[in-house]
Structure formats: C-alpha cells, structure tokens
Amino acid sequence: MKQYFDRLYKNTNSAFMAELRRNLENNRKTFIVTANPEAFMFGEKDPEMDALLMDDAVTVVADGIGIVKGAAMLDVQVAERIPGVDIAENLMQYGHELGKSIFMLGSKQEVLDAMCRVLAEKYPNLTIAGAIHGYVPDKDAAFAEIAQAKPDIILVALGIPAQEKLIYKHFSKFEKGIFVGVGGSLDVLSGSKERAPAFFIRHNLEWFYRIAKEPKRIKRFYNSHVKFIFRVRKEGRKLRG
Ligand code: UDP
C-alpha cells in the first residue's frame, strides 16, 4: 500500500496544472491516474492495476481527501487534492486556448450529447475528434478509433479501474495525447449531474454529498473507503514498528 503513496504527485494543484498545460502544448504523451482509495485497494488485488500504478510513465495524483489524509498517516508529503473533475475542466480550457482536439470515451450517450453542446459553446477552439458512449460492448474497438483520430486529449469515463486498465492496454499505440480516467466528471461538466455545493467541496465533504444523493454508493464506499482506512492504519503501524 505504501508504495502507491510514494508514487503520488507531491506538488501543488497549480504546479500540476501548469505542467499539464505544457505537456499538452508540447504533445508530450501523459497518462494521469486520479487516485481515490478504491484505486489503491484495487491495486492490491489486481496485478494489472498494480502494474500501472507502479509504472513511472504514469502520473498518480490524489483525487480525494482520503488519499491526502492517508499519505499524511504514512509520512508522505502531498501538498493538496487534485480532483479529476478539475483536471478534465482545465484540459478543456487549455485545449481551447491552444487549439487542440479532444476524444471522449465513456458515460451515457445523453451525457456526451450535452457535453458536446457545452464544449461547442464554452470552448469553441477545442475540436471534438470523437465521442463514444461507455456502454458499447467492444471498448478495444473504440480505442482503435481513438488511435486513428490521433486526438490531443483523451478522457475515459468508465469508472475505476476499468478506465485506467483500458488506457494502459492501449497507451503504447499512441505517440501523443493526454490520457485521463475521469470517472463521473463528464456527468458533472455536461451539467447532467450537479457537483457538490461549494460548502461540501471546501470542507472536503464531497464524498458525503455523493453518498447522500446516491445511497446506492454506500456499499461501494464501505468496501473501498472504510476498509482503506483500516488498511492504511495497519501500514502506518508497520512503518513505526
Ligand atoms: N460508465 C460507463 N460504462 C459502464 C459503467 C459506467 O460509461 O459500463 C460511466 C458512467 O456513466 C459514469 C462513469 O462511468 O459516467 C463512472 O462514474 P462514477 O460516478 O461511478 O465514477 P467515480 O467518479 O465515482 O469514479
């Protein structure tokens, strides 16, 4: 578990965003994993997830407060959260400023339709290279289409760990592109689902808001986040002897 925390990006949100913009500008191929407790818990169970979390070619950022707090418990200094939804939104803005292109894979068709309308209105200089919803049976074929389109930004919204594993499987076929698994970010950025009000974000209670809105998330929350806390505590005790 500790090895995943050591892989985390340590600097501030603004430093990260500046690097991201430079990578996009210079066509530097990048794969970002926005880690939440679930991601690290999957890593311990799933060899593919473990391999990608440990790969130096992959940038791992602390999406949620659970990862930032867990890092502190294991004496890993992480400046702050870098939420995936902010990465997705900033990429759209940078892409617009730099005249780049975007491909989206995942989420529901109506979410993609709404997202395309938002992009055309708010980020008209960002070209939409393609959009394929996340319920097609053959995701590898979808990725072959992405490879043909050679987009600059690739957002994959299938949920953890499917989105990360899919990107990792196809990453070597690409010469450029900023790849991010964005979970439910397109639901929010398209206006289809509300992000938590500022109060919840400010007090690091976004996770609580999401459960309150969607109680079916409770089981998932218990299986990842609650077990995660016990797991990190155990690792902390090991560390301190
Ligand atoms: N999704 C998908 N295909 C699937 C399962 C999920 O496209 O087979 C999408 C779903 O529509 C949602 C996203 O994946 O947009 C996952 O969202 P969730 O909020 O569960 O992810 P989180 O942000 O919690 O990782």
Side-chain angles (χ1 to χ4, degrees):
M1 180 58 70
K2 168 87 161 53
Q3 72 276 20
Y4 301 145
F5 284 95
D6 289 329
R7 290 274 300 114
L8 283 169
Y9 181 84
K10 312 286 189 316
N11 213 336
T12 60
N13 196 311
S14 58
F16 176 79
M17 296 302 172
E19 269 179 48
L20 191 59
R21 195 180 193 286
R22 271 197 303 276
N23 286 0
L24 180 63
E25 190 167 15
N26 300 326
N27 297 323
R28 195 172 305 136
K29 198 164 89 156
T30 307
F31 176 11
I32 301 155
V33 173
T34 68
N36 59 16
E38 241 175 336
F40 287 1
M41 293 301 276
F42 274 121
E44 292 204 320
K45 281 190 295 206
D46 181 335
E48 248 180 278
M49 191 67 184
D50 176 71
L52 73 91
L53 284 172
M54 295 309 293
D55 191 329
D56 283 338
V58 178
T59 305
V60 186
V61 303
D63 177 83
I65 192 65
I67 296 289
V68 175
K69 290 254 159 86
M73 284 165 73
L74 299 176
D75 300 328
V76 176
Q77 307 302 321
V78 172
E80 57 188 337
R81 290 181 64 193
I82 305 181
V85 63
D86 292 345
I87 296 177
E89 193 170 30
N90 283 336
L91 276 174
M92 290 170 186
Q93 176 63 32
Y94 303 152
H96 164 68
E97 289 166 9
L98 298 167
K100 299 285 185 177
S101 64
I102 188 169
F103 204 114
M104 294 168 287
L105 171 62
S107 71
K108 298 194 183 111
Q109 184 62 52
E110 62 260 33
V111 169
L112 289 180
D113 293 342
M115 195 66 243
C116 287
R117 286 196 293 275
V118 171
L119 289 177
E121 196 177 307
K122 276 177 84 175
Y123 311 103
N125 291 329
L126 176 65
T127 306
I128 301 171
I132 302 174
H133 70 75
Y135 299 86
V136 289
D138 190 351
K139 311 274 189 316
D140 294 315
F143 238 91
E145 264 189 61
I146 302 178
Q148 278 215 320
K150 299 188 174 58
D152 301 302
I153 302 166
I154 301 93
L155 304 185
V156 183
L158 297 169
I160 282 182
Q163 56 195 21
E164 282 74 20
K165 284 163 69 169
L166 189 67
I167 294 173
Y168 198 56
K169 187 170 168 192
H170 295 277
F171 193 57
S172 63
K173 295 186 189 122
F174 290 80
E175 276 175 17
K176 64 163 184 180
I178 310 279
F179 295 77
V180 198
V182 292
S185 299
L186 299 181
D187 299 332
V188 172
L189 295 174
S190 64
S192 313
K193 216 189 235 184
E194 268 171 61
R195 192 174 175 189
F199 170 87
F200 290 87
I201 298 176
R202 205 167 45 242
H203 293 282
N204 291 318
L205 290 171
E206 207 165 349
W207 58 273
F208 175 75
Y209 178 84
R210 293 185 82 181
I211 292 180
K213 283 279 258 204
E214 290 175 74
K216 66 175 188 311
R217 285 183 180 272
I218 281 190
K219 187 158 176 259
R220 206 176 124 187
F221 183 80
Y222 178 79
N223 274 330
S224 53
H225 294 64
V226 177
K227 287 185 183 168
F228 172 77
I229 293 166
F230 285 103
R231 183 72 191 85
V232 172
R233 278 212 188 127
K234 194 170 146 202
E235 193 90 357
R237 278 198 298 273
K238 217 164 68 188
L239 207 70
R240 284 171 189 87

